[in-house]
Amino acid sequence: MTTALAADPARSRGRRHPEPEGATRGPRDAFQRDRDRIVHAIAFRRLRHKTQVFVAPDGDHFRVRLTHSLEVAQIGRTIARALGLNEDLTEALCLAHDIGHPPFGHAGEDALRQVTALAGGFDHNGHTLRVLTRLDSPYPRFPGLNLTWETLEGLAKHNGPIARPDWALAEADADFPLALAEWPGLEAQVAAVADDIAYDNHDIDDGLRAGLLDLGALLTVPLVARTWAGVRARFPDVTEHRLHRELVRDLIGVMVSDVIAATRARIADAGVRDGDEARRLGHALSGFSDELAGEERVLKQFMYANLYHSPRQLAVAAAVHGLVRRLFAAYAADPTLLPPAWREALPAADPYRTRHIADFVAGMTDRYAISRHRELVGPVDLPDGF
């Protein structure tokens, strides 16, 4: 059941481009329509073949950017429901939060940031707004998906206020002001912490599955050790390997329960009565308790040292970083290599020319980028299995 704190679709600040009344294609409110537009977007489908942690994994059981987004949405809806927030808006934000990621995750992003440095750079969060307001345009009357203000606002600043937006975010804000200096609504705050919970835990699962994480080393993290002790107490006769996913489930449960309790306490202490008051408060209400936030930081430090920055992962990141740079250079040197629609829309001068080429490369999936590199530049050498 929703409460007064929930964003009300009937009181939405609207869409950038007015739409005719009655053109809803079914009994859906504004936030439900946003969620559905995201699910049906080409950019959302492409997340199926974009890196989460492992690049173009051979194994079918590793997460990709799409399955990550689905897991974030499941966790986000659970928290939103417990807090009486708008579940549909929360789900829309969770599903779309990574839609601006280029191929190969953060390695691809770093490469695009470097090659576009003189044109303003590249940031996946700003690019998410660019995709949703300009690039993915399935409707005949307007560019982009024409999402509500609340969805675009939450995506722009789900990690907090933005004092110095990058050019893409500033462009979206100039066209449809998103109050970037304020905190976002509660649904966006929930989406942000759901993202942390999801990737903390599914990266543990994938790291153990890939053999890049060792359970013994992982148990040096107090939060994990305490949770593992509870798992072993319930299942003393089950082999360790069969309990890996039970550990992950319990960790998610611990984190979700903590966020719900801590957020309820902060809301009560602050005395906020609606989402707008939450925006003006000047700090986040939804998140971990101080104690669990400290423990979660220790877990993240372990994951960076032992998974994200492991020698094998760094070697793969370096390889795909070079791949994206070379692919961008090929299109920049000879724009006739672009598909016809992209070639015809190519601006004549920078920074718009460089940004246009970066838009095209950023939209690629891992496998399409690898295929185009082989065709235009040369062989791609990546370690087997990842």
Side-chain angles (χ1 to χ4, degrees):
M1 179 180 295
T2 58
T3 68
L5 289 170
D8 183 355
R11 300 178 60 203
S12 168
R13 301 191 195 185
R15 304 179 188 276
R16 170 63 179 84
H17 305 281
E19 298 183 24
E21 292 293 329
T24 60
R25 291 188 174 88
R28 298 172 296 161
D29 65 37
F31 300 150
Q32 290 170 335
R33 292 172 67 192
D34 280 2
R35 176 203 57 210
D36 296 348
R37 289 180 182 193
I38 290 161
V39 168
H40 287 276
I42 288 176
F44 182 71
R45 294 199 292 276
R46 285 199 299 257
L47 298 179
R48 175 187 173 200
H49 293 292
K50 290 197 176 190
T51 294
Q52 179 58 34
V53 173
F54 300 119
V55 170
D58 291 339
D60 293 335
H61 298 163
F62 294 112
R63 271 75 171 186
V64 290
R65 194 65 62 173
L66 177 62
T67 54
H68 161 70
S69 299
L70 294 173
E71 292 183 29
V72 175
Q74 178 267 315
I75 292 169
R77 284 198 76 120
T78 298
I79 297 172
R81 181 172 300 176
L83 296 174
L85 303 178
N86 189 288
E87 294 181 44
D88 298 312
L89 176 57
T90 303
E91 185 177 23
L93 294 168
C94 292
L95 291 172
H97 79 284
D98 272 352
I99 219 163
H101 265 284
F104 311 119
H106 293 291
E109 181 174 11
D110 289 342
L112 284 177
R113 185 178 298 116
Q114 289 183 14
V115 298
T116 60
L118 297 180
F122 180 91
D123 173 76
H124 79 266
N125 196 54
H127 196 66
T128 291
L129 272 290
R130 186 165 171 80
V131 169
L132 295 174
T133 60
R134 291 173 179 267
L135 300 179
D136 198 331
S137 296
Y139 303 104
R141 293 192 303 271
F142 43 74
L145 301 187
N146 201 31
L147 302 176
T148 62
W149 183 91
E150 289 77 10
T151 297
L152 293 175
E153 178 239 12
L155 291 169
K157 55 186 184 178
H158 58 280
N159 289 319
I162 299 173
R164 293 184 295 277
D166 73 299
W167 68 268
L169 192 51
E171 187 177 71
D173 181 61
D175 186 57
F176 193 26
L178 298 172
L180 295 181
E182 292 183 357
W183 279 88
L186 285 166
E187 286 82 3
Q189 294 180 32
V190 166
V193 73
D195 184 26
D196 283 342
I197 294 171
Y199 80 72
D200 279 346
N201 290 289
H202 65 48
D203 291 356
I204 290 174
D205 190 17
D206 282 356
L208 289 169
R209 183 184 300 278
L212 295 180
L213 289 181
D214 172 74
L215 180 61
L218 192 59
L219 293 179
T220 63
V221 178
L223 173 61
V224 179
R226 187 171 67 251
T227 307
W228 178 251
V231 171
R232 291 302 284 162
R234 292 201 310 275
F235 303 102
D237 300 323
V238 179
T239 60
E240 283 190 355
H241 178 74
R242 289 205 61 203
L243 295 179
H244 287 174
R245 280 185 283 172
E246 189 69 14
L247 169 65
V248 170
R249 282 191 288 271
D250 275 18
L251 282 168
I252 292 173
V254 167
M255 290 183 177
V256 167
S257 297
D258 179 86
V259 166
I260 292 169
T263 303
R264 281 176 174 159
R266 292 191 190 105
I267 289 171
D269 289 344
V272 297
R273 293 166 295 181
D274 58 40
D276 285 336
E277 286 189 5
R279 287 185 176 89
R280 295 191 294 268
L281 197 59
H283 60 81
L285 289 171
S286 185
F288 297 117
S289 65
D290 291 344
E291 180 181 0
L292 194 64
E295 292 193 300
E296 194 258 354
R297 282 194 295 272
V298 173
L299 173 59
K300 273 191 169 62
Q301 291 166 1
F302 175 90
M303 295 295 285
Y304 272 94
N306 293 276
L307 181 62
Y308 310 134
H309 291 167
S310 67
R312 182 164 186 168
Q313 286 296 94
L314 290 177
V316 175
V320 296
H321 185 280
L323 184 156
V324 171
R325 287 180 61 94
R326 291 188 297 272
L327 201 52
F328 178 90
Y331 287 114
D334 184 4
T336 65
L337 298 174
L338 292 166
W342 284 86
R343 187 169 62 244
E344 292 165 9
L346 182 70
D350 273 331
Y352 308 104
R353 186 182 181 90
T354 292
R355 292 173 181 174
H356 183 79
I357 295 170
D359 286 341
F360 177 66
V361 175
M364 292 182 175
T365 62
D366 295 4
R367 65 179 189 172
Y368 183 66
I370 290 170
S371 172
R372 292 298 285 163
H373 188 282
R374 286 173 175 155
E375 180 181 349
L376 302 178
V377 181
V380 174
D381 183 20
L382 292 176
D384 290 339
F386 298 99

